[in-house]
Amino acid sequence: MPVSAFDLVIRNGTVVTATDVFKGDVGVTRGQIAAIGQKLAPGREEIDARGKLVLPGGIDSHTHIEQLSAAGIMNADTFESATRAAAFGGTTTVISFAAQHKGMSLRKVVDDYSVLAARGAMVDYAFHMIVSDPTEATLTRDLPALIAEGHASIKLFMTYDKLKVEDETLLDVLAVAREHKALVCVHAENHGMIAWMGRKLLAEGKTAPKYHAVSHPRASETEAFTRLISAAALIDQPIMIFHVSTAEGAAIVGDARRQGLKVFAETCPQYLFLTAADLDRPGLEGAKFMCSPPPRDKSDQEALWAALALGDLQTVSSDHAPYRFDASGKLSGGPNSTFKQIANGLPGLETRMPLMFDAMVSKKRPEFAGQALQSFVNLTATQPARIYNLAGKGNIAVGLDADIAIWDANRRVTLTDALMVGNTGYTPFAGRTVKGWPETVLVRGRTVARDGATVGPPGSGRHILRTGGWAAEPTGG
Ligand code: DUC
Ligand code: ZN
Ligand code: ZN
């Protein structure tokens, strides 16, 4: 019996990184990439990737999993079902939230989510800590200790009654993050404008889901971005602005970056593929497309694609926030719910990678001409790994974790509710046919999904601690 040089060899594929595309073999030993080259020695296991693309697994850096909303509605996914959806869709690492609500100890919140994830996750994971109750103990005891332990990012909300922080508190948290080296991610919308618009619309009897989009005026994004960036600049603290939805928002981020400010930003498939018109459906059907901020217009989609290509926006996450279209989720307020009573959020973990691949690689978005595959990898894996300090992740290189998705670039798949493997029961992207699908997905060299079947097992995901604080030097144009 010849001695196998590797545990696994992925042979004869076209390997894609954020910078290169080349034909070759990838050898994996003990979960890590041990060699990349031609005609590698045999592995104990071999995958024939001839005619296929060998890409880094996706990193979805903004997902809500097993999380209770501020309104008390549990989202539809457990760590098991959400990470099954991730694996199915080519994502091998997720960052979800340890969500503090008022009165909760942040330490206990992180401990509790860690237990849930350790039990259920079948891909690797990390947490952003949502801080909604920045008490003295949270700021001076729990946050410094938790950041030092590897939870190197904080999430703040500038809107939502029960979550929002006011300007002074925002600065308190930014200052703690600066001292202890954490990145601060922010849901930046102007609360007053949204609340005022909501009251006005309801008073006029405008209650349908489509008014959700009207109630989040474009200015609510631009005002909050500007205020947030000013606050972060005041104390020189890096920030990540979540889910940019408007052309103006993207422009504000771009301007800030050109001034040298440490501002990063993401957008999500719902802002690239949906518009506010999707919320305008009979009855409450439009609730399936309700997220905050809302999808905008075609011209915003174009501006967001341009901003991604320019590097003004550096990542595309799903903002997976799944609520079933029934009384346990979207319709918990009953059949006559107003848009204000409907949980905000969309499922997106399993469709993010295929939608982006289809648009960038198969349909050849012109912004990425000549660099489509590398740009796809960069936006969905390499940049999130860098920005969030996910060591060992986001690329195909010797010494990194063998988190790999083997794509069939020619496979056409129609997205349907029935195809989805998460717990939400629907996809807002139903009816679209995408070209390109991740057929085999590996986490640290272990197959977690193959040909549409996920194999897990739950609990096999590893917690990626980001010790050393936030010290990334991301690129991004
Ligand atoms: N909006 C949020 O603020 N969070 C989750 C999803 C959403 O739509
Ligand atoms: Zn948000
Ligand atoms: Zn979110």
Side-chain angles (χ1 to χ4, degrees):
M1 277 282 275
V3 180
S4 302
F6 303 102
D7 295 338
L8 165 70
V9 174
I10 303 167
R11 208 171 278 289
N12 292 321
T14 298
V15 179
V16 184
T17 71
T19 49
D20 295 302
V21 180
F22 54 91
K23 286 218 161 47
D25 307 334
V26 179
V28 176
T29 298
R30 285 185 293 281
Q32 292 192 334
I33 297 170
I36 302 171
Q38 312 292 328
K39 299 191 186 340
L40 292 185
R44 273 196 295 115
E45 188 191 341
E46 297 252 338
I47 296 178
D48 178 12
R50 191 179 296 276
K52 305 282 163 68
L53 298 172
V54 179
L55 270 56
I59 295 181
D60 197 337
S61 50
H62 181 171
T63 65
H64 301 261
I65 301 177
E66 221 158 331
Q67 190 182 324
L68 194 65
S69 80
I73 304 172
M74 195 59 185
N75 81 31
D77 272 319
T78 60
F79 276 90
E80 179 177 341
S81 63
T83 57
R84 190 192 319 132
F88 178 76
T91 287
T92 51
T93 302
V94 297
I95 311 184
S96 64
F97 295 95
Q100 182 195 43
H101 293 288
K102 292 239 185 306
M104 291 180 173
S105 139
L106 188 60
R107 159 69 63 190
K108 181 160 183 342
V109 167
V110 173
D111 287 350
D112 289 350
Y113 275 94
S114 300
V115 169
L116 295 174
R119 187 159 62 211
M122 60 181 83
V123 305
D124 289 351
Y125 58 91
F127 295 112
H128 303 299
M129 299 178 289
I130 291 182
V131 174
S132 67
D133 198 4
T135 58
E136 194 65 17
T138 298
L139 292 176
T140 61
R141 186 192 64 202
D142 293 346
L143 269 176
L146 288 162
I147 294 167
E149 287 165 29
H151 308 287
S153 47
I154 296 167
K155 158 92 181 279
L156 296 175
F157 288 87
M158 294 170 78
T159 184
Y160 291 118
D161 283 320
K162 295 189 177 158
L163 298 172
K164 70 177 187 323
V165 293
E166 304 296 345
D167 293 355
E168 213 176 322
T169 324
L170 171 70
L171 284 163
D172 282 339
V173 178
L174 289 169
V176 170
R178 184 175 198 280
E179 187 182 347
H180 298 279
K181 294 197 169 54
L183 179 65
V184 178
C185 310
V186 186
H187 178 128
E189 290 187 286
N190 178 295
H191 184 71
M193 288 184 200
I194 295 166
W196 186 85
M197 288 293 290
R199 267 193 291 119
K200 184 168 135 54
L201 288 161
L202 292 186
E204 291 166 2
K206 295 173 175 164
T207 62
K210 68 178 176 184
Y211 294 108
H212 169 73
V214 184
S215 76
H216 288 242
R218 307 172 70 87
S220 64
E221 180 158 297
T222 51
E223 188 283 331
F225 282 18
T226 309
R227 182 158 42 99
L228 168 65
I229 290 168
S230 306
L234 181 68
I235 55 173
D236 189 29
Q237 163 60 26
I239 50 169
M240 159 59 74
I241 302 185
F242 273 167
H243 43 52
V244 177
S245 70
T246 62
E248 306 89 287
I252 290 170
V253 172
D255 288 348
R257 289 173 61 80
R258 278 179 279 284
Q259 286 171 47
L261 298 175
K262 293 171 188 153
V263 176
F264 304 97
E266 64 164 29
T267 191
C268 315
Q270 45 272 42
Y271 308 110
L272 297 168
F273 300 105
L274 302 177
T275 69
D278 284 300
L279 279 71
D280 188 4
R281 304 204 174 206
L284 292 182
E285 193 71 16
K288 291 182 177 174
F289 304 83
M290 273 180 60
C291 56
S292 290
R296 308 283 183 179
D297 300 333
K298 282 267 175 223
S299 59
D300 293 298
Q301 295 180 351
E302 293 303 311
L304 294 173
W305 281 113
L308 286 168
L310 267 177
D312 288 353
L313 310 180
Q314 300 80 43
T315 71
V316 177
S317 74
S318 67
D319 193 5
H320 179 77
Y323 296 98
R324 292 184 65 80
F325 192 62
D326 62 23
S328 72
K330 288 278 183 187
L331 307 182
S332 63
N336 298 316
S337 295
T338 70
F339 69 87
K340 272 293 190 194
Q341 294 169 295
I342 295 170
N344 291 190
L346 310 175
L349 251 170
E350 53 207 303
T351 49
R352 176 187 72 122
M353 298 289 283
L355 284 166
M356 293 301 293
F357 186 98
D358 178 60
M360 296 178 71
V361 181
S362 305
K363 297 206 171 78
K364 301 184 170 38
R365 285 280 331 176
E367 299 83 355
F368 306 99
Q371 290 283 313
L373 277 167
Q374 297 95 317
S375 300
F376 168 72
V377 165
N378 201 31
L379 290 172
T380 58
T382 308
Q383 290 277 45
R386 274 196 199 123
I387 291 175
Y388 294 104
N389 272 357
L390 292 163
K393 303 296 190 189
N395 209 346
I396 295 183
V398 171
L400 298 193
D401 288 348
D403 294 351
I404 290 172
I406 302 173
W407 286 70
D408 179 346
N410 294 315
R411 181 151 157 211
R412 286 177 202 276
V413 174
T414 300
L415 304 176
T416 61
D417 294 350
L419 184 74
M420 300 295 112
V421 301
N423 276 352
T424 320
Y426 79 89
T427 168
F429 305 104
R432 287 164 203 256
T433 297
V434 293
K435 186 171 163 220
W437 196 261
E439 286 193 332
T440 302
V441 181
L442 309 163
V443 174
R444 284 175 279 105
R446 185 175 44 80
T447 300
V448 291
R450 180 172 287 164
D451 294 332
T454 52
V455 284
S460 56
R462 185 180 285 171
H463 192 163
I464 307 300
L465 289 166
R466 295 163 294 148
T467 44
W470 188 86
E473 282 300 332
T475 60

